[in-house]
Structure formats: structure tokens, C-alpha cells
Amino acid sequence: EVIVKLNCVVDTATQGHEGLEKIRQSRLTEPYDVVFVDMRMPPGWDGLRTMREIWNIAPDQFVVLCSAYSDYSFDDIVRELGMKSNFLILHKPFEPDEVLQIVQSVAAKTSRQDRDDRNLGSQLERAIAKEELSLAFQPIIVLKTGEIWAFEALCRWDIDGKPVSRPDEFIRVAEETGLICDLGNWVLREAMACSKQLEYATNESIRISVNVSPLQLKPGFDDALAYMLKVNDLRASSIGLEITESRCIDTGSASEKILANLRDLGFHILLDDFGSGYSNLLGLATKAFETLKIDRLFCAGLHSSSCTIPIVKSVIEVANGLGKTCIVEGVETIQQEKTLRGLGCNLVQGYLYSPPMSFDKAIEWVREGKKRSIRSAA
């Protein structure tokens, strides 16, 4: 049997933070196919912390955790990091051929993925330049009254009504190829234009929130948003900025300062998918976020025997205690809604109320809501 040896470039680091910096520097130019992480790397980060930091900046990075002895069980690791398809555990001692087999398998898969991503990135760049994207709008509802609290604007890439790519796919490629700032700026401009049109068409001032990647939070971003507001003759309070928790901002970082400045300008800052990342409750008291959006996975687990119920209740109580608003995403059934009422939830979003809709339908939704209110008052 002939074993084909791979022509590999190997980088090494003795500490987790050193390896993270190598990944950070190379991820957009020559990303690593496989990263091997030792569980114990005294005196610095352990393997679990290192993997968490790696996936914070490169969620798709394939990681092999190597250990002769672990301070964590497999269940502990899964609870901390989730069950991922880009993760293997390799117990010491191991043979060189075991490493070769892993690298060969992952590199072949990565090569195909890279080609697909480059092709998708080229198409996306053209789509942004030609403004071939669109926005869909999903309402956020006040549970007690049924009124619209806000709309979330969601980017879509369709041709003749058929999706070219799922949002999670093309947004990931946008972040990895550096297109995310161009894409994000287009979404913000479009959302602001729609906000002004919505106000004219309905005589209602309803906030539109937009997802923002931490990669967009660079010097000058706040100035660019202030200029967009001026062009559209909008108040900053008309726009919400949603930052995903799994890509959250470090306390004291330049990005957090930009977020705080945007909040001071009047933008409403939301922490999206709360509970899907690291849920740094202590940081919530000091960060710029005014609203928490509880991840839809928690709503899916809301049934009478679920341990999810006390978790959701606690998050709502913590948010209220900190003076922050709380939204539960992914509400799909009457039973979930009933449970959330009992937990003191005030704001909800999900298919039970409406799927994401076109802008024209969003205008009609607002108008119909006003008619319902008038009929109820009569």
C-alpha cells in the first residue's frame, strides 16, 4: 500500500494566545486547514479556552483537541462548545499516520469548500455592486397588546424569487472575504431609506433593526452612520443595531467604545441570539446593549417539563433588573406564547405572528394593525 504524503506548511505556537494571533493574521489570506490544540498548555490558556477563542473569530475552523489527560469530560466540552462537525478529539499517544489521515481528509474537504466560497464571494461582490439584494422584514410584537414594537430587517439574495444562497452562507463568506463592510453598508442604507418610507406611508415611527457584524465596528463607522441618517433625514432612534452574542465585543475594546458612541448618538443597541454564546452576565451591566434577544433555541424548548423555563425566566428577570428590554425570538406556537406570558415576557418575534415579509407587505401590516386598534377602540 502506498501512502501519499502531503506537502504541508506547519506553524507552531507554545501558548493558546500565540496560536490565536497566528490564526487571526492568516484567516483571510491563507487560512489553516487544521489546528491542533493541546488541552494543557501551562502557564496560559488551556485547550478549552483556546478553542473558544479560535471559534469566536473563525467559527468554521477545524480543530483537533489533543490530550493524554483532560481536566474536562467529553460532556463538559460539549456543554461548553456545543456539538460541532469541525471538531475531533485525539488521545495521546498517537501515531504520525493518524495525524496525516486527519489532515489529508480535512484538507480535501476544505479545498472544495474554498473553491465554492471563492465562487460565491465573486458572485456576492457583483450582487452588492449591482444592488441585487433585498430586505425582508419580520415584526417584533408587544405581547400584551399585539402592537408592533419594531421590525428586524433581514438581508436576502434572490433571483426571480429563488434564493441564490442562504443568508448564513453568504454572510459567512462576506465576513471571511472582507465583503462584510460593503454588504453591511448596503443593508444600513436600504434599511434607513425604508424607515423613512414607512414613516411617510403609515404616519408611524417604527424602529427598524439591522444586524451588524463586529467586523464593521471600525473607526469611522459611527461617522458613516451619522451621515446616512442626515441623508435620509432620520433620527438615530429609528434604527436598531443588533450584535450577535457569539461574536460579542470585549469590554474596554475599541469596538465597544464605538458601540457606546452609537448608543449616545441615539441608536438602539441590541444583543442578538443571547444564550447561544458565552452569556457574560457581568458584562451586560457595563456594555452598550439596551435590549437582549433570547436565542430561538430556548423558545423551542419551552414545554411543561422543560428545564429551559427557569433559564428564560431568570434571563428576563436579570434584563428587567438591569433596566434592559428583553425579546424572545422564534415563537412558533400558541403554547410557547402562553408560557412566555406566564414568565413575564413583553416582546416576542417569530413565525406565530409573521414570517419575514417584503417591504410593501410590512407597510400593509402596519396599516392593518392601526385599523384593528381603531375597531377595538370602537
Side-chain angles (χ1 to χ4, degrees):
E1 182 179 359
V2 178
I3 298 179
V4 179
K5 301 295 182 182
L6 292 178
N7 182 18
C8 295
V9 175
V10 179
D11 282 343
T12 61
T14 59
Q15 293 292 296
H17 69 277
E18 295 171 1
L20 178 71
E21 188 56 33
K22 287 178 177 286
I23 293 169
R24 191 192 306 277
Q25 292 175 3
S26 66
R27 61 185 291 267
L28 295 179
T29 54
E30 293 185 84
Y32 293 101
D33 291 318
V34 189
V35 173
F36 290 83
V37 175
D38 203 342
M39 178 59 87
R40 287 185 160 185
M41 295 179 285
W45 300 347
D46 64 12
L48 199 64
R49 165 77 185 276
T50 302
M51 290 172 65
R52 184 187 297 124
E53 298 291 342
I54 288 172
W55 282 336
N56 191 37
I57 65 168
D60 297 321
Q61 178 64 62
F62 197 98
V63 179
V64 179
L65 182 64
C66 307
S67 182
Y69 177 81
S70 176
D71 296 306
Y72 308 93
S73 68
F74 180 74
D75 288 341
D76 291 335
I77 295 171
V78 170
R79 275 194 295 271
E80 286 288 325
L81 302 174
M83 182 67 76
K84 293 179 175 287
S85 60
N86 55 333
F87 166 52
L88 285 176
I89 294 178
L90 187 62
H91 291 288
K92 297 177 182 178
F94 48 78
E95 297 294 328
D97 282 347
E98 293 180 83
V99 175
L100 178 64
Q101 186 180 36
I102 292 171
V103 173
Q104 195 169 24
S105 175
V106 174
K109 178 181 177 182
T110 302
S111 178
R112 290 193 298 272
Q113 184 66 52
D114 285 346
R115 287 196 299 271
D116 292 342
D117 285 353
R118 284 195 296 271
N119 181 50
L120 187 61
S122 297
Q123 294 181 56
L124 179 59
E125 188 173 20
R126 290 193 295 270
I128 296 170
K130 295 180 179 180
E131 298 193 350
E132 295 174 345
L133 305 165
S134 63
L135 294 183
F137 299 84
Q138 188 171 38
I140 299 170
I141 304 298
V142 180
L143 192 52
K144 292 181 180 178
T145 65
E147 295 175 312
I148 301 172
W149 184 78
F151 280 106
E152 180 180 0
L154 302 161
C155 190
R156 296 292 185 261
W157 184 10
D158 300 334
I159 294 180
D160 297 329
K162 295 182 179 179
V164 176
S165 173
R166 297 198 317 268
D168 60 328
E169 290 179 341
F170 71 76
I171 290 171
R172 174 185 60 80
V173 169
E175 291 189 324
E176 292 177 355
T177 58
L179 289 171
I180 191 62
C181 290
D182 290 339
L183 175 60
N185 285 339
W186 179 86
V187 170
L188 282 162
R189 288 194 300 269
E190 189 72 8
M192 288 189 188
C194 288
S195 178
K196 196 63 181 180
Q197 293 177 48
L198 183 64
E199 188 175 338
Y200 278 138
T202 65
N203 200 30
E204 290 278 343
S205 180
I206 298 175
R207 183 182 297 121
I208 293 179
S209 69
V210 175
N211 291 281
V212 173
S213 168
L215 298 177
Q216 294 174 251
L217 299 178
K218 299 176 181 179
F221 180 67
D222 42 359
D223 293 333
L225 263 63
Y227 177 75
M228 292 181 197
L229 288 175
K230 184 177 180 180
V231 168
N232 288 281
D233 189 25
L234 274 181
R235 299 179 302 277
S237 57
S238 301
I239 301 297
L241 305 175
E242 300 192 15
I243 311 293
T244 302
E245 187 210 3
S246 60
R247 302 290 302 278
C248 201
I249 310 301
D250 292 333
T251 300
S253 67
S255 296
E256 189 191 31
K257 292 175 183 176
I258 292 172
L259 270 185
N261 188 33
L262 289 168
R263 179 199 58 200
D264 293 341
L265 287 173
F267 289 95
H268 191 86
I269 312 297
L270 302 91
L271 179 58
D272 197 15
D273 298 338
F274 184 79
S276 63
Y278 312 131
S279 303
N280 185 350
L281 295 176
L282 184 61
L284 292 179
T286 57
K287 284 189 167 69
F289 304 108
E290 300 163 84
T291 296
L292 309 181
K293 297 186 75 176
I294 299 178
D295 188 75
R296 64 185 65 250
L297 293 177
F298 287 92
C299 193
L302 290 179
H303 49 79
S304 58
S305 60
S306 172
C307 61
T308 303
I309 291 177
I311 295 175
V312 174
K313 181 181 180 182
S314 297
V315 172
I316 292 172
E317 290 174 348
V318 167
N320 291 338
L322 292 172
K324 299 179 185 293
T325 307
C326 194
I327 301 168
V328 177
E329 299 182 282
V331 183
E332 297 183 354
T333 68
I334 295 294
Q335 181 57 49
Q336 289 170 347
E337 181 187 72
K338 181 179 178 181
T339 301
L340 290 170
R341 286 181 186 276
L343 296 179
C345 176
N346 186 37
L347 296 171
V348 287
Q349 179 179 354
Y351 275 71
L352 178 63
Y353 311 101
S354 173
M357 63 186 84
S358 69
F359 182 60
D360 288 342
K361 288 184 178 178
I363 291 175
E364 289 303 314
W365 229 78
V366 175
R367 287 173 174 166
E368 286 300 315
K370 290 175 68 176
K371 290 178 183 177
R372 285 193 296 271
S373 297
I374 293 170
R375 286 196 294 267
S376 297

